């Protein structure tokens, strides 16, 4: 099938690369000429495991090309995917200016029947707006051309986006015509051979499914973070609570890991969009506002624990920060708790030495103007530091050299913002451990008898 993907961000590029991998002919369209040139050479400006090799492979095979010519891309395709950004406006509503601009261009250039698929995360009713914009442009031209607008939300996790696309747990398509359903079913058939994964629903249903999914996951995280705060106050080990409730099949173990808050390009933006929609629906004091408040405050929890440990004064102290990306296996720092924590510590007069396996470049830009030092080795950060803060659960941080840390850290203290360490193990190596909701576990470690 001949496909065009408008927008070459994380979603658009993964979508284009994966469709081309299955044999489709794909054109990825963008207005950024420098970015297009980099893509043609196989240079990907963000970190996503497996994506660079996939792009190079399909560019060399001729199945994946990059262009700045939207007119040719639209009229050479059977399906056009709109995968441009939809950042939050001040009100919390998603900014649809780029989506509607693409729709307008499609209406001005369309010359043959086409399926237009919305990949961007958009509010309920956006497909109707896109259809109206295209129709107005066609009428202005005096053209009568058949087209369909469908909603096909993405469910890609940064760090495993290629795997998620190639082996999806569900493929949601919101469509209102048999023709568009047939086209989308043919396109996705190769991804759903072993099990029926394609769900055809109403267009507005599909738009809501995407927001509801992300809001639910964000809610689980904020819920567990609040449980962790209660655990700290009542001398309860939140890890035991997490395992206890996670073994309930109605709850499950995913997204109930307490920490220093969620981030990324999706959860914060989509929760704000849900707040906006709930307010439009007349729902006062909606749950999404509570989810957002807890996440905003959760980033402060780490700073509060540091202040408490150092008697409220960290001016002149030095802190090692392991992790800058909002999650492992990505270089995305949008909404990353580590960035907010680094800024606040430095504003309080502390020196911050930071390391991340992938996100150093973006972090340098985000923290420009702050007295943050970046190092190429995690143990260079901890050398002579008063304490270590772990804010991203990269694999290489999970089994560090505790002996070395106990010698390097002046106060021999680890603030574990992702609960990746066993408190008793840290204590065995002479380290002080401060986690999220783990005060009782630390107490047990300090007072248990050792052989």
């Amino acid at each position: 099938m001949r496909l065009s993907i408008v927008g070459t961000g994380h979603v658009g590029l993964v979508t284009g690369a994966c469709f081309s991998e299955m044999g489709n002919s794909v054109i990825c369209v963008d207005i950024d000429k420098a970015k297009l040139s980099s893509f043609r050479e196989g240079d990907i400006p963000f970190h996503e495991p497996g994506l660079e090799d996939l792009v190079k492979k399909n560019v060399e095979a001729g199945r994946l090309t990059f262009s700045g010519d939207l007119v040719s891309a639209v009229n050479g395709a059977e399906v056009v995917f709109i995968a441009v950004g939809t950042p939050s406006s001040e009100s919390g509503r998603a900014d649809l200016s780029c989506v509607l601009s693409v729709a307008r261009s499609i209406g001005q250039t369309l010359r043959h029947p086409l399926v237009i698929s919305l990949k961007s995360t958009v509010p309920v009713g956006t497909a109707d707006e896109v259809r109206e914009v295209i129709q107005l442009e066609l009428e202005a031209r005096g053209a009568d051309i058949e087209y369909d607008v469908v909603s096909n939300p993405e469910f890609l996790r940064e760090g495993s986006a290629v795997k998620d696309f190639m082996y999806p747990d569900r493929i949601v398509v919101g469509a209102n015509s048999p023709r568009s359903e047939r086209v989308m079913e043919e396109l996705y058939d190769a991804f759903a051979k072993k099990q029926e994964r394609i769900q055809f629903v109403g267009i507005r249903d599909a738009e809501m499914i995407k927001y509801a999914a992300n809001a639910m996951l964000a809610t689980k995280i904020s819920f567990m973070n609040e449980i962790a705060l209660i655990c700290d106050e009542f001398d309860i080990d939140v890890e035991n609570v997490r395992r206890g409730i996670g073994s309930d099949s109605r709850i499950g173990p995913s997204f109930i890991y307490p920490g220093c808050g969620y981030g990324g390009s999706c959860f914060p933006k989509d929760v704000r969009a849900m707040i906006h929609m709930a307010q439009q629906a007349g729902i006062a004091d909606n749950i999404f506002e509570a989810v957002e408040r807890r996440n905003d405050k959760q980033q402060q929890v780490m700073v509060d624990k540091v202040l408490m440990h150092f008697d409220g004064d960290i001016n002149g102290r030095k802190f090692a920060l392991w992790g800058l990306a909002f999650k492992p296996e990505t270089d995305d720092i949008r909404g990353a708790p580590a960035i907010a924590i680094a800024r606040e510590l430095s504003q309080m007069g502390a020196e911050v030495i930071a390391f991340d396996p992938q996100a150093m470049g973006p972090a340098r830009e985000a923290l420009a103007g702050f007295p943050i030092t970046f190092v190429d080795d995690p143990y260079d950060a901890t050398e002579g530091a008063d304490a270590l803060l772990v804010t991203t659960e990269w694999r290489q941080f999970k089994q560090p050299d505790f002996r070395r840390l106990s010698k390097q850290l002046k106060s021999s203290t680890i603030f574990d913002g992702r609960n990746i360490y066993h408190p008793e193990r840290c204590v065995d190596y002479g380290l002080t451990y401060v986690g999220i909701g783990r005060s009782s576990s630390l107490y047990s470690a300090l007072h248990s008898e050792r052989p």
Side-chain angles (χ1 to χ4, degrees), residues 110-249:
L110 184 62
R111 290 183 173 80
H112 66 81
L114 185 68
V115 173
I116 298 106
S117 177
L118 283 170
K119 267 288 179 197
S120 302
T121 300
V122 293
V124 173
T126 300
D128 295 335
E129 290 187 58
V130 167
R131 188 181 297 105
E132 289 172 7
V133 167
I134 293 173
Q135 188 60 38
L136 285 172
E137 293 298 335
L138 288 174
E139 290 174 359
R141 293 166 47 200
D144 182 15
I145 302 170
E146 184 181 4
Y147 68 95
D148 292 294
V149 178
V150 304
S151 175
N152 177 214
E154 52 85 16
F155 301 100
L156 308 178
R157 298 167 295 173
E158 289 191 48
S160 58
V162 172
K163 180 182 177 182
D164 289 345
F165 198 103
M166 299 301 287
Y167 306 99
D169 50 15
R170 83 280 207 197
I171 300 164
V172 174
V173 178
N176 61 2
S177 77
R179 174 182 174 273
S180 60
E181 284 192 13
R182 284 195 303 271
V183 170
M184 297 303 285
E185 186 172 27
E186 178 184 344
L187 177 59
Y188 278 112
D189 182 62
F191 299 90
K193 283 291 188 184
K194 292 184 178 180
Q195 184 177 340
E196 184 55 50
R197 302 185 188 278
I198 305 176
Q199 301 175 16
F200 285 105
V201 298
I203 292 177
R204 290 190 169 216
D205 301 344
E207 291 170 333
M208 189 59 167
I209 286 170
K210 170 61 177 180
Y211 275 119
N214 278 354
M216 172 61 80
L217 297 176
T219 299
K220 291 182 73 174
I221 294 171
S222 283
F223 171 85
M224 205 63 201
N225 281 335
E226 202 146 295
I227 291 292
L229 293 182
I230 297 171
C231 288
D232 264 338
E233 290 299 316
F234 286 90
D235 291 329
I236 300 164
D237 186 358
V238 74
E239 282 299 291
N240 290 333
V241 177
R242 180 188 64 77
R243 287 193 295 269
I245 67 173
S247 59
D248 186 329
S249 61

Side-chain angles (χ1 to χ4, degrees), residues 286 288-298:
N286 60 77
F288 311 111
E289 291 174 335
V291 169
E292 183 178 54
R293 280 197 306 272
R294 168 43 46 213
N295 192 63
D296 290 342
K297 292 178 179 179
Q298 197 67 21

Side-chain angles (χ1 to χ4, degrees), residues 402-403 405-407 409 411-414 423 425-433 442 446:
F402 288 115
R403 292 185 184 87
L405 290 176
S406 66
K407 294 177 182 178
L409 298 171
S411 73
S412 300
T413 303
I414 295 177
R425 188 169 299 161
C426 292
V427 170
D428 282 345
Y429 285 98
L431 292 159
T432 299
Y433 176 88
L442 177 60
L446 288 170

Side-chain angles (χ1 to χ4, degrees), residues 270-285:
D270 294 352
V271 169
R272 284 193 292 271
M274 287 299 294
I275 291 171
H276 181 78
M277 283 193 281
Q279 290 170 343
Q280 284 185 311
I283 303 173
D285 300 321

